[in-house]
């Protein structure tokens, strides 16, 4: 009877260990302003699987020296992005100096590997702003979803905006370049005007 109980406990522990996520592998580096090379504290670090979905990570914010360490759910191939706030005055960037996710350098992490030196130098950006108005009344339209696309046609999901009560909107900080802006009055229907 005692052996049976111990066997059940042992089996339960094996099941528990096999179903829980074990975090161990890490990616670390530093985030700086590309122009001044000054470290950037408080920058959010996002991680994606190579096949697109975002990944639950431990960590994810640069410290006062611009350093970060993210803990991954396991070995795999990842894409890393520094996601700056508009008030930082710098643009979001994927590793290795890429604005577009499709161009990002993928980072392969092995079984017990800790990848270091994944540094990001964020370029200075500008704000794109405007106003969405009704064609019939000329009044500003509130809560219109605004989407930003690169001139290549790639959706830039890290830059999001919606109109304020007067119809005004702003994207930023966006690095100099060519972009398309789409106003989507009903995101669930995907209608553009």
């Amino acid at each position: 009877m005692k052996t049976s109980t111990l066997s059940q406990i042992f089996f339960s522990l094996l099941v528990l260990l096999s179903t829980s996520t074990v975090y161990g592998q890490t990616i670390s580096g530093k985030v700086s302003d590309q122009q001044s090379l000054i470290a950037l504290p408080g920058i959010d670090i996002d991680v994606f699987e190579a096949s697109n979905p975002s990944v639950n990570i431990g960590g994810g914010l640069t410290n006062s020296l611009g350093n970060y360490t993210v803990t991954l759910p396991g070995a795999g191939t990842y894409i890393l992005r520094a996601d700056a706030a508009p008030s930082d005055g710098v643009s979001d960037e994927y590793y290795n100096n890429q604005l577009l996710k499709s161009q990002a350098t993928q980072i392969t992490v092995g079984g017990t590997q800790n990848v270091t030196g994944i540094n990001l130098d964020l370029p200075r950006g500008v704000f794109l702003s405007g106003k969405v108005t009704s064609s019939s009344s000329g009044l500003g339209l509130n809560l219109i979803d605004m989407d930003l696309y690169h001139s290549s046609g790639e959706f830039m999901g890290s830059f999001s905006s919606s109109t304020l009560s007067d119809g005004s909107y702003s994207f930023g900080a966006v690095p100099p370049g060519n972009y398309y802006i789409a106003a989507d009055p009903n995101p669930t229907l995907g209608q553009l005007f």
Side-chain angles (χ1 to χ4, degrees), residues 129-148:
S129 60
K131 191 171 185 177
V132 178
T133 58
S134 167
S135 59
S136 59
S137 70
L139 297 175
L141 297 174
N142 188 23
L143 297 176
I144 302 296
D145 179 47
M146 302 300 294
D147 297 326
L148 185 68

Side-chain angles (χ1 to χ4, degrees), residues 60-118:
L61 202 64
T62 59
N63 65 18
S64 61
L65 301 175
N67 296 316
Y68 73 89
T69 299
V70 291
T71 305
L72 306 167
T77 302
Y78 298 97
I79 294 171
L80 189 127
R81 177 180 71 201
D83 189 3
S87 60
D88 292 321
V90 292
S91 175
D92 294 358
E93 182 178 272
Y94 291 92
Y95 180 70
N96 193 1
N97 298 315
Q98 296 299 321
L99 175 62
L100 302 176
K101 187 175 185 180
S102 64
Q103 304 298 313
T105 299
Q106 297 180 358
I107 304 162
T108 301
V109 181
T112 58
Q113 188 177 13
N114 295 316
V115 178
T116 61
I118 304 300

Side-chain angles (χ1 to χ4, degrees), residues 143-147 161-162 183-192:
L143 297 176
I144 302 296
D145 179 47
M146 302 300 294
D147 297 326
S161 185
S162 62
D184 189 350
N186 189 339
T188 60
L189 297 178
Q191 298 173 341
L192 297 179

Side-chain angles (χ1 to χ4, degrees), residues 2-183:
K2 192 175 192 182
T3 305
S4 176
T5 303
L6 287 175
S7 296
Q8 288 174 344
I9 291 171
F10 180 71
F11 179 74
S12 296
L13 285 172
L14 282 177
V15 169
L16 181 64
L17 288 173
S18 67
T19 58
S20 65
T21 303
V22 178
Y23 290 86
Q25 297 83 358
T26 63
I27 297 175
S28 62
K30 185 172 186 174
V31 179
S32 304
D33 179 311
Q34 187 180 71
Q35 188 175 2
S36 67
L37 301 180
I38 294 173
L40 295 171
I43 302 293
D44 186 35
I45 303 297
D46 299 325
V47 178
F48 305 88
E49 291 179 334
S51 60
N52 279 333
S54 63
V55 176
N56 289 326
I57 57 172
L61 202 64
T62 59
N63 65 18
S64 61
L65 301 175
N67 296 316
Y68 73 89
T69 299
V70 291
T71 305
L72 306 167
T77 302
Y78 298 97
I79 294 171
L80 189 127
R81 177 180 71 201
D83 189 3
S87 60
D88 292 321
V90 292
S91 175
D92 294 358
E93 182 178 272
Y94 291 92
Y95 180 70
N96 193 1
N97 298 315
Q98 296 299 321
L99 175 62
L100 302 176
K101 187 175 185 180
S102 64
Q103 304 298 313
T105 299
Q106 297 180 358
I107 304 162
T108 301
V109 181
T112 58
Q113 188 177 13
N114 295 316
V115 178
T116 61
I118 304 300
N119 302 326
L120 295 113
D121 297 319
L122 307 187
R124 291 285 173 158
V126 296
F127 286 86
L128 303 176
S129 60
K131 191 171 185 177
V132 178
T133 58
S134 167
S135 59
S136 59
S137 70
L139 297 175
L141 297 174
N142 188 23
L143 297 176
I144 302 296
D145 179 47
M146 302 300 294
D147 297 326
L148 185 68
Y149 295 85
H150 187 263
S151 59
S152 66
E154 185 170 336
F155 176 62
M156 301 180 67
S158 63
F159 295 95
S160 62
S161 185
S162 62
T163 59
L164 301 176
S165 60
D166 66 350
S168 63
Y169 68 88
S170 178
F171 290 101
V174 178
N178 296 312
Y179 303 96
Y180 298 106
I181 297 173

